[in-house]
Amino acid sequence: MEQAVNGLVANGATPHPHTALPNGDALMHEPTPEDLEKELPVVMDGQVPLGELISRLSQTMYAELTEMAETMPHMSDAARKRYVADWVVKIKRQVVKLYAIAKWSRDASVVQKAMNITAFLMDQNRQFEEAIMGLKYGKESLDPARLRNHDLLTSLDVLTTGTYRRLPACIKELIIPPTPLNDEEVAKTLADIEDAMRYRLRTSEIVPWEMSQYRIADGRVVFTAPKLFEASLCLRGAGKNDGWFFVNVEFLFRVGGDQTGMQEFPRSPTGVLKRNITDEADARLAFYLPPDEPPPPEAEPPPRPQLPEGVVDAPLVRVFNFLQMMSLSYQLEILWYQAERMRSLGWADFLTVEMTNHRQKMVISYWVHKPPSIRPGQPAPSQAQARNRIPQLGGKLSISIVQVKEKTGRKAMRSPKARVLAELQERSKLDHSRPSDEVEHLRFEVEWEPEKGALGVTMGPEDVQIPPEELRIDPDDLDFESLLRKVIRRHTEGIMKFFQLQLMHGSITRNVFGAPGEVTFVGNGGAPSLRVHLCADEVVIVTVDPRTGRLMLRDTGDLAAAGRGPRFAAISDRLNETPWRLPEALLRLRLTTITDLAEQKVQYLGLQSFRERNFAPEELAKLGPDARGKLYIQLANFPNHYLVLVITDNDYRYALINVKVQRETMYNNMIMEDIGWLNVRRIHGDEYTIEPGVGPEPMVGQKRKREDGLEAAPAEQYSSSFRLETKVLRELYAYCCARVAYTKVEQQFKLRGIPYTHVYSTANAAAPELAHIQSSLARSIPALCVLSSDILSGAPAAEAAMPNIRVIPLNWWSSDQAKVVTCVKLKYVQQPIGKRASGTTVIRPSKRIIYDTREAIVSFLSDDVDKCVDEFLEEWARVSKMVVIAREVAQMSTKYLWTDVRLLSFDLQTVEFAYAADYTLSLTCTDQLSSSGGSYHLRFGRVQPEDEHRMDVDGDHSAGPAHNPHEDVEPYMRNLLRHGRLSSALHRLVGLLRETLPVVAELEDIRVAAARSGTCVDTFAKSAGWFRILYGDLRHALDFRLMAGARVVILDGSHSLFDDNADDTPLRRLMGPTAKATSSLPRAESAALQPIPDFPALVQEAIKAAVAHGVSGQFAPIDIGVICDVAAVRVVGRMLHGKVFEKLESRANSKS
């Protein structure tokens, strides 16, 4: 190995330990493989320890086993087995993967060594490349570092003269400052250069007419191009070849609108922008001039452009063209910036701005929207859908810088004077030559191109034109937003006029919106819009959002429409998918608004309404082909009747329908059984009618009201269409309720075959107590009048009523239950008496009866309209009988000379009278419409001591008990009133009560005395004229039986008056009216009793005792008892009872 000079091993190799050979030479020792491996870099990139994998898998298995131990006991056996099997399969896969990794890890050391060797080789390769690069860098950097050749001449000059004689002049100029000019010299220099510029501009320089306005001052000339720029130029010198150079420029524009960010566009450029403009302007000014400095000898200069023969250089024309383009481009950039700022302020999704590569044309697309997304599997749109698909933008606005040719006439950019001056300048300065450059006439060209079919509208040619002056770019007011809004406003105007024409003259809308003032175009201030009158005071504004290009429906902003914003937003969203359907949407909105207003009025009145009912289409056709919508108002008291507000194109039509639910159908469909059309003007004008034939002609099978006196509604339309007042709706509803109530009453009359007529009255026919119930239509609704001979035919006491009976439905104007009042005037008046009748002329004995005592009118109230006739007949049967009973009772004192019979109380429901002394009877009728003819309830009583003194039949003034013994006979007495005429039956009842009074009074005394003494004696009634005393052994009885002629037979209870089968027995003939009533009693009752011992003897003893007692009246003994008149029955009966009781007591004692 070669040894270097410095003692190091050549080639940079490091010495290794060596061993000495036997001959003394050094032997180099080779490194072992282990040493070499230590020198290798260790690379662990992408390596993972096997132990970490094993640990992670074992921990996962343990955690899952623990979870299984906690959750599996709650599983079913099948679920537990399935879960374990799945877990075993999953873990087996992981273990197999780990086993494969473990097998592969046996060669991990070899792979690791290979990776280390690879990294070592890559590091060596990098070092070699760095060494090569270092050598190249040294070669390139040492070449210019060579020493220059020795400057012998300069050395000799310094040695001989002591100074530099050949020093470059630039060094002097850099080090030695020049002598500055004084003020006079500066002023003279500027004046000279100004004279040179003035002379040059007037004699030889071609000045564009656009820059003909200039001024010379401060050694420069300032050219002003109106609305473009103001540029400052200066001459390099007064020589012929001294050209112009650029000094400064100011662009003449003013930014309008939002001034945010306009500091980026100064009118006077500075910095890099000004330097670029200066370089380009100087290059254009010196385009044909020779270079200022000659090129170096060794460099070959590029060829300079040369002026052709007969061509004069025009540097000012070139600089004008350049600055004109710069000014217009600058303004276009400002407009582009304003457009981009609008996009950042919310217009990005609906406005696109595109600029061409040469930055001379900008295209703006407005009202841009994304195409509808097509979901996977969605069918492709049909041809009709593709044809009706609206474009994805509303229109385009392009602003471009264009060059126009010089024209004459009105479209010329120069005035005639300017053209003449330009021609004179060329002739005077150019002679027969021509300028090297011509003035380029540039200007902004703004074009508006509305997209055909935008918003589904094809505008006319007159609507797509905008006056050019409105699209002109004004440098004094650069405002892109204003320009865009002008275009959008014009586009919106065209769309609104198209829709206005379509609404007013379209086939489906001219009937609704064709009238003047219904659809008004509003273009003053704000966005152009359509003011569409829906109904009444409801107006909707239709416009186009200038930002999004979407049709918008909004209200007028009043408080009444405050809650309609969400609805209008939803309608607008659906409408913008198919904007050409705006007329249909407005018709639906109009219908919805009308329905909402009507529904609001209905809810204000507290009524139940429905927009839809389950009618079949053929049923809805009965409401007419012009029916656009319906609102069904259910009558509260009549659920099967509805007041229908039929919404047509021009106004409401009102119908009263009767529906029937078809239960056999799947959806319980309804059918209209009856339809009546209402004339709202006549009803509201205090007249009434139901139109039988107004509106559509009925279809086959349709029912329709045809009644006398009902006329058709006039066909004229009202100016205030759809102005439904709450009062009118209330009256219509009340009228429908009245009509239904009357119809139901009339149907009951028709079913019974009762003729009726309508009667108008100026006075309230109802009871005064009902006077507080009023309605504005109450006097307009007629009453129903029927004849008493018709309605009361077959009813009891029909003769008590006057011929005419009025039937008047009530409460049809309110939410209360509908009622019917039937007014009957009585022929003969019996004034009510008693506590209820005191202090007023009107009494109300019950909830359903009101009696006016002054007019003798009875008013019957019925809560059920469908059963009012039945209820009236039932109440009439009760009241009429009470009236007859009261009249008969009042006449008994004079007619039959029963002076102690007097009427105590009468209130049409109950009659209470005293039939003898202080004994009273109260009568009430019940169940009058039953097949048996009704029944009576009898309640017996006594006059209270504070009212009258009670007196017995003997005239004794004793304070007897306030008990009427006739109470036990009430079941037998009630049947007497059901046979024959009521007056005759009442006379028989009162006569029977008076004749049996001594018997029941004596039996009551006997019962009370026995009870006091503790003896066992019972008294009870066997029939209306048959009474019995049953003694304690229950085998002996004493009977008292009423006979004809006010006589009573007292006989042994074991004997019967009917032992003889012949009907002409003398005693039978003497029984009078009670014989037949008692003939049906079984003889087994008498056979169960035993004869009273020595009864004839006891009778004789009793008669003697009665005579000794001084009894008045007649009596006669018979074989089985004694017959006496009513006056003597008490004494005779008391004596006979005493004798029988003593006999039975003595016999019982003897046996014991």
Side-chain angles (χ1 to χ4, degrees):
M1 185 173 293
E2 185 177 356
Q3 191 77 11
V5 178
N6 55 2
L8 297 177
V9 180
N11 296 329
T14 56
H16 294 281
H18 57 275
T19 56
L21 295 177
N23 56 4
D25 296 332
L27 180 62
M28 299 301 296
H29 178 68
E30 292 292 335
T32 61
E34 290 77 8
D35 295 335
L36 293 177
E37 290 180 6
K38 293 179 181 179
E39 296 294 332
L40 295 176
V42 180
V43 180
M44 301 298 294
D45 187 20
Q47 302 295 315
V48 178
L50 179 63
E52 185 176 348
L53 292 178
I54 296 174
S55 175
R56 182 174 299 179
L57 181 60
S58 60
Q59 291 177 3
T60 302
M61 294 171 59
Y62 177 77
E64 292 183 358
L65 287 172
T66 304
E67 183 180 358
M68 291 170 59
E70 295 177 354
T71 58
M72 288 180 60
H74 303 287
M75 300 181 183
S76 62
D77 184 64
R80 189 161 50 246
K81 292 178 180 178
R82 183 170 59 254
Y83 186 80
V84 171
D86 295 342
W87 183 83
V88 169
V89 172
K90 182 183 68 173
I91 295 300
K92 181 180 179 181
R93 292 176 181 173
Q94 300 296 329
V95 172
V96 170
K97 292 179 183 179
L98 185 61
Y99 176 74
I101 294 174
K103 286 289 188 180
W104 178 83
S105 65
R106 297 177 180 176
D107 300 328
S109 59
V110 178
V111 175
Q112 183 67 44
K113 185 184 295 183
M115 293 178 62
N116 295 343
I117 293 173
T118 301
F120 175 77
L121 295 177
M122 292 177 65
D123 185 60
Q124 289 293 319
N125 185 41
R126 181 183 59 78
Q127 292 180 5
F128 283 127
E129 290 180 352
E130 290 180 355
I132 293 172
M133 295 301 296
L135 292 175
K136 288 183 178 180
Y137 175 76
K139 175 180 177 300
E140 294 175 355
S141 61
L142 289 176
D143 283 344
R146 293 177 299 175
L147 294 175
R148 294 177 57 193
N149 294 329
H150 298 289
D151 190 2
L152 298 177
L153 294 178
T154 304
S155 301
L156 292 174
D157 289 340
V158 171
L159 290 174
T160 56
T161 63
T163 183
Y164 293 95
R165 297 180 61 183
R166 296 174 177 83
L167 189 65
C170 63
I171 298 177
K172 290 184 179 181
E173 294 176 358
L174 290 175
I175 298 175
I176 301 173
T179 304
L181 299 176
N182 55 26
D183 294 342
E184 291 77 8
E185 293 175 339
V186 171
K188 183 178 183 304
T189 302
L190 292 178
D192 293 342
I193 198 63
E194 289 176 357
D195 292 339
M197 289 188 293
R198 188 176 295 107
Y199 175 78
R200 194 164 179 175
L201 290 174
R202 291 180 178 178
T203 59
S204 61
E205 288 291 344
I206 301 300
V207 181
W209 173 84
E210 289 77 7
M211 287 200 316
S212 60
Q213 299 180 11
Y214 62 86
R215 67 180 185 276
I216 299 174
D218 299 331
R220 67 187 67 179
V221 57
V222 180
F223 295 97
T224 301
K227 297 186 178 181
L228 289 175
F229 58 85
E230 186 178 83
S232 300
L233 301 181
C234 189
L235 278 177
R236 299 179 181 273
K240 182 179 180 181
N241 294 329
D242 292 333
W244 298 88
F245 66 91
F246 178 81
V247 179
N248 192 14
V249 66
E250 180 182 1
F251 297 107
L252 303 180
F253 63 83
R254 182 177 293 105
V255 179
D258 187 8
Q259 299 294 323
T260 304
M262 288 300 104
Q263 64 273 9
E264 302 294 334
F265 301 95
R267 297 181 57 178
S268 298
T270 58
V272 178
L273 179 59
K274 181 180 180 181
R275 185 163 58 250
N276 293 335
I277 294 176
T278 302
D279 294 342
E280 183 64 22
D282 289 341
R284 291 178 180 269
L285 289 171
F287 187 71
Y288 292 109
L289 295 179
D292 296 338
E293 296 180 359
E298 65 274 7
E300 183 178 356
R304 297 285 297 178
Q306 300 294 326
L307 287 172
E309 185 177 356
V311 177
V312 178
D313 187 15
L316 297 182
V317 174
R318 288 194 299 273
V319 77
F320 168 76
N321 292 337
F322 166 67
L323 293 178
Q324 177 185 227
M325 175 61 72
M326 285 297 300
S327 177
L328 295 179
S329 300
Y330 203 16
Q331 297 177 31
L332 185 61
E333 291 294 332
I334 293 175
L335 295 176
W336 174 83
Y337 178 83
Q338 291 177 338
E340 290 294 338
R341 176 161 178 80
M342 287 183 63
R343 283 173 46 84
S344 66
L345 295 178
W347 291 63
D349 295 335
F350 315 102
L351 186 71
T352 60
V353 181
E354 299 176 357
M355 183 78 81
T356 57
N357 293 333
H358 53 79
R359 311 292 290 183
Q360 293 185 8
K361 184 176 182 180
M362 180 173 66
V363 180
I364 300 96
S365 301
Y366 59 90
W367 295 353
V368 178
H369 66 274
K370 298 179 181 179
S373 59
I374 300 178
R375 295 185 296 272
Q378 184 177 358
S382 62
Q383 294 182 358
Q385 292 176 344
R387 185 170 55 254
N388 293 330
R389 181 177 297 174
I390 60 176
Q392 298 181 9
L393 67 149
K396 292 182 179 180
L397 178 65
S398 60
I399 305 175
S400 57
I401 302 174
V402 297
Q403 182 177 357
V404 295
K405 295 181 179 180
E406 178 63 23
K407 299 179 181 179
T408 60
R410 294 183 178 180
K411 296 184 178 180
M413 296 189 65
R414 294 180 177 179
S415 64
K417 178 180 179 181
R419 289 198 301 272
V420 171
L421 291 177
E423 291 178 1
L424 292 176
Q425 177 183 220
E426 291 181 359
R427 290 178 183 179
S428 63
K429 294 181 180 180
L430 298 180
D431 196 6
H432 298 290
S433 302
R434 58 185 179 86
S436 60
D437 297 273
E438 297 290 341
V439 175
E440 298 176 356
H441 299 283
L442 303 179
R443 65 179 178 86
F444 279 117
E445 185 179 55
V446 183
E447 295 181 352
W448 172 48
E449 183 182 354
E451 193 70 16
K452 185 178 180 180
L455 292 181
V457 173
T458 302
M459 298 188 299
E462 68 280 0
D463 293 328
V464 297
Q465 300 296 330
I466 298 182
E469 57 272 9
E470 292 188 10
L471 293 180
R472 182 178 295 114
I473 302 297
D474 186 6
D476 293 333
D477 186 14
L478 292 178
D479 189 357
F480 172 77
E481 182 177 359
S482 175
L483 177 64
L484 180 62
R485 289 189 180 275
K486 288 180 182 178
V487 172
I488 292 177
R489 179 182 179 85
R490 181 60 179 170
H491 198 170
T492 304
E493 287 179 359
I495 293 174
M496 293 297 103
K497 290 180 179 179
F498 174 85
F499 281 127
Q500 182 185 21
L501 185 66
Q502 190 176 17
L503 288 172
M504 297 183 68
H505 302 285
S507 58
I508 63 174
T509 57
R510 60 170 175 260
N511 292 335
V512 178
F513 301 114
E518 291 294 318
V519 182
T520 307
F521 175 77
V522 181
N524 298 329
S529 59
L530 289 181
R531 185 181 181 91
V532 182
H533 175 238
L534 297 179
C535 64
D537 297 328
E538 298 299 323
V539 176
V540 62
I541 306 299
V542 183
T543 185
V544 178
D545 188 350
R547 181 175 66 95
T548 63
R550 294 169 58 87
L551 284 173
M552 294 176 55
L553 303 181
R554 58 183 176 85
D555 52 49
T556 55
D558 55 353
L559 295 178
R564 298 176 190 161
R567 174 187 296 176
F568 287 163
I571 295 176
S572 301
D573 291 341
R574 294 193 301 269
L575 179 61
N576 282 281
E577 298 177 0
T578 54
W580 60 86
R581 295 182 177 176
L582 175 64
E584 301 175 11
L586 289 177
L587 287 177
R588 289 193 299 270
L589 177 61
R590 177 177 181 268
L591 177 61
T592 304
T593 303
I594 294 172
T595 307
D596 288 345
L597 291 176
E599 197 170 37
Q600 183 180 4
K601 301 288 186 181
V602 172
Q603 293 176 355
Y604 176 76
L605 294 177
L607 306 179
Q608 179 69 32
S609 64
F610 305 90
R611 296 196 179 189
E612 297 291 339
R613 292 274 78 185
N614 198 17
F615 290 114
E618 56 271 14
E619 291 294 322
L620 293 176
K622 296 178 182 179
L623 296 176
D626 58 343
R628 305 292 180 248
K630 282 80 67 178
L631 185 64
Y632 304 89
I633 304 175
Q634 189 176 32
L635 305 187
N637 294 324
F638 310 103
N640 291 331
H641 290 78
Y642 293 86
L643 167 61
V644 185
L645 273 62
V646 182
I647 303 172
T648 63
D649 289 339
N650 300 314
D651 209 341
Y652 291 111
R653 287 195 297 113
Y654 306 91
L656 175 61
I657 64 173
N658 180 20
V659 302
K660 179 182 178 181
V661 181
Q662 294 179 315
R663 301 295 181 183
E664 65 277 4
T665 58
M666 179 181 297
Y667 301 107
N668 290 336
N669 293 339
M670 293 181 176
I671 60 174
M672 300 183 189
E673 289 187 325
D674 197 5
I675 301 177
W677 296 96
L678 306 179
N679 186 339
V680 64
R681 171 162 290 187
R682 295 192 63 185
I683 295 174
H684 187 54
D686 292 336
E687 296 182 3
Y688 69 101
T689 185
I690 295 181
E691 302 176 8
V694 178
E697 287 297 325
M699 300 179 64
V700 177
Q702 177 180 349
K703 295 183 179 180
R704 187 174 61 187
K705 283 199 178 292
R706 293 189 180 274
E707 301 182 18
D708 296 336
L710 302 183
E711 300 178 358
E716 70 269 15
Q717 301 297 332
Y718 312 122
S719 59
S720 57
S721 61
F722 296 107
R723 294 182 181 272
L724 182 61
E725 299 295 337
T726 305
K727 179 180 179 181
V728 176
L729 181 60
R730 183 187 292 111
E731 292 182 354
L732 281 173
Y733 179 82
Y735 180 81
C736 291
C737 293
R739 181 65 262 176
V740 174
Y742 276 77
T743 302
K744 289 183 175 293
V745 177
E746 292 169 3
Q747 289 175 353
Q748 296 178 61
F749 289 155
K750 292 177 182 179
L751 290 176
R752 294 174 176 268
I754 302 174
Y756 62 89
T757 57
H758 294 90
V759 178
Y760 295 90
S761 176
T762 58
N764 190 5
E769 187 172 309
L770 303 175
H772 67 282
I773 306 177
Q774 292 295 333
S775 171
S776 58
L777 295 176
R779 299 182 182 274
S780 302
I781 304 298
L784 296 174
C785 182
V786 295
L787 297 177
S788 60
S789 59
D790 295 329
I791 192 172
L792 299 179
S793 178
E799 69 279 0
M802 295 295 283
N804 294 327
I805 296 178
R806 277 184 293 183
V807 182
I808 307 173
L810 297 177
N811 285 351
W812 43 263
W813 54 80
S814 65
S815 59
D816 298 335
Q817 183 180 3
K819 299 180 180 181
V820 177
V821 58
T822 305
C823 301
V824 181
K825 186 175 181 63
L826 302 179
K827 286 184 177 179
Y828 38 81
V829 180
Q830 172 59 54
Q831 295 295 336
I833 58 176
K835 295 181 179 180
R836 292 185 179 180
S838 61
T840 179
T841 59
V842 177
I843 64 171
R844 191 164 187 172
S846 68
K847 180 181 179 181
R848 292 161 48 172
I849 297 177
I850 301 174
Y851 183 37
D852 185 357
T853 59
R854 183 177 56 187
E855 300 291 338
I857 295 177
V858 183
S859 301
F860 299 89
L861 287 176
S862 176
D863 294 335
D864 190 350
V865 179
D866 295 324
K867 299 178 182 180
C868 63
V869 176
D870 292 338
E871 293 182 358
F872 161 69
L873 293 177
E874 180 181 359
E875 292 295 335
W876 169 254
R878 180 182 297 113
V879 170
S880 61
K881 290 181 180 181
M882 292 297 103
V883 171
V884 172
I885 292 173
R887 183 189 61 182
E888 293 296 327
V889 170
Q891 296 175 356
M892 283 182 181
S893 60
T894 58
K895 186 176 181 180
Y896 302 107
L897 300 179
W898 293 341
T899 57
D900 52 351
V901 176
R902 61 193 184 279
L903 187 63
L904 300 179
S905 175
F906 168 59
D907 59 2
L908 299 183
Q909 291 286 298
T910 305
V911 175
E912 184 178 4
F913 62 92
Y915 56 87
D918 60 344
Y919 292 89
T920 63
L921 172 62
S922 176
L923 285 174
T924 304
C925 299
T926 58
D927 196 15
Q928 294 305 302
L929 294 183
S930 64
S931 59
S932 60
S935 61
Y936 296 88
H937 177 67
L938 281 64
R939 186 171 65 251
F940 293 91
R942 300 282 294 274
V943 177
Q944 297 298 326
E946 57 271 16
D947 296 333
E948 291 186 9
H949 296 286
R950 289 170 305 194
M951 302 172 61
D952 57 11
V953 294
D954 293 335
D956 298 334
H957 296 273
S958 61
H963 172 70
N964 192 332
H966 269 130
E967 289 182 0
D968 298 335
V969 199
E970 190 269 342
Y972 308 106
M973 294 294 183
R974 70 174 66 169
N975 294 328
L976 294 178
L977 295 175
R978 299 173 59 183
H979 302 284
R981 290 179 53 123
L982 181 59
S983 58
S984 301
L986 181 64
H987 176 259
R988 291 195 302 267
L989 173 64
V990 176
L992 184 60
L993 291 175
R994 292 175 61 85
E995 291 175 357
T996 58
L997 180 58
V999 177
V1000 296
E1002 184 59 32
L1003 292 182
E1004 179 67 14
D1005 292 343
I1006 292 173
R1007 185 189 63 80
V1008 173
R1012 290 177 180 176
S1013 61
T1015 58
C1016 185
V1017 175
D1018 189 16
T1019 62
F1020 55 91
K1022 295 284 287 182
S1023 68
W1026 182 3
F1027 305 92
R1028 172 173 289 177
I1029 300 175
L1030 184 62
Y1031 295 98
D1033 55 2
L1034 303 179
R1035 290 179 295 177
H1036 300 87
L1038 188 63
D1039 286 348
F1040 293 76
R1041 306 192 69 166
L1042 183 65
M1043 301 175 65
R1047 292 173 297 174
V1048 178
V1049 58
I1050 305 174
L1051 68 161
D1052 186 357
S1054 61
H1055 294 278
S1056 175
L1057 296 176
F1058 311 101
D1059 291 341
D1060 190 358
N1061 293 330
D1063 293 336
D1064 57 351
T1065 305
L1067 190 57
R1068 174 82 58 85
R1069 291 193 298 268
L1070 296 175
M1071 287 305 297
T1074 61
K1076 293 183 179 181
T1078 58
S1079 62
S1080 60
L1081 294 177
R1083 296 186 178 182
E1085 295 185 11
S1086 300
L1089 298 175
Q1090 297 180 5
I1092 299 175
D1094 300 331
F1095 185 68
L1098 296 179
V1099 171
Q1100 293 296 331
E1101 293 178 2
I1103 292 175
K1104 293 178 181 180
V1107 172
H1109 194 272
V1111 64
S1112 61
Q1114 299 177 358
F1115 50 87
I1118 59 176
D1119 295 340
I1120 57 176
V1122 60
I1123 298 175
C1124 60
D1125 56 12
V1126 175
V1129 71
R1130 294 201 65 173
V1131 178
V1132 175
R1134 186 185 311 121
M1135 297 302 173
L1136 184 56
H1137 162 69
K1139 298 299 181 179
V1140 172
F1141 183 76
E1142 291 176 1
K1143 183 65 177 179
L1144 294 177
E1145 283 289 330
S1146 62
R1147 186 177 179 183
N1149 294 333
S1150 63
K1151 289 183 179 181
S1152 61

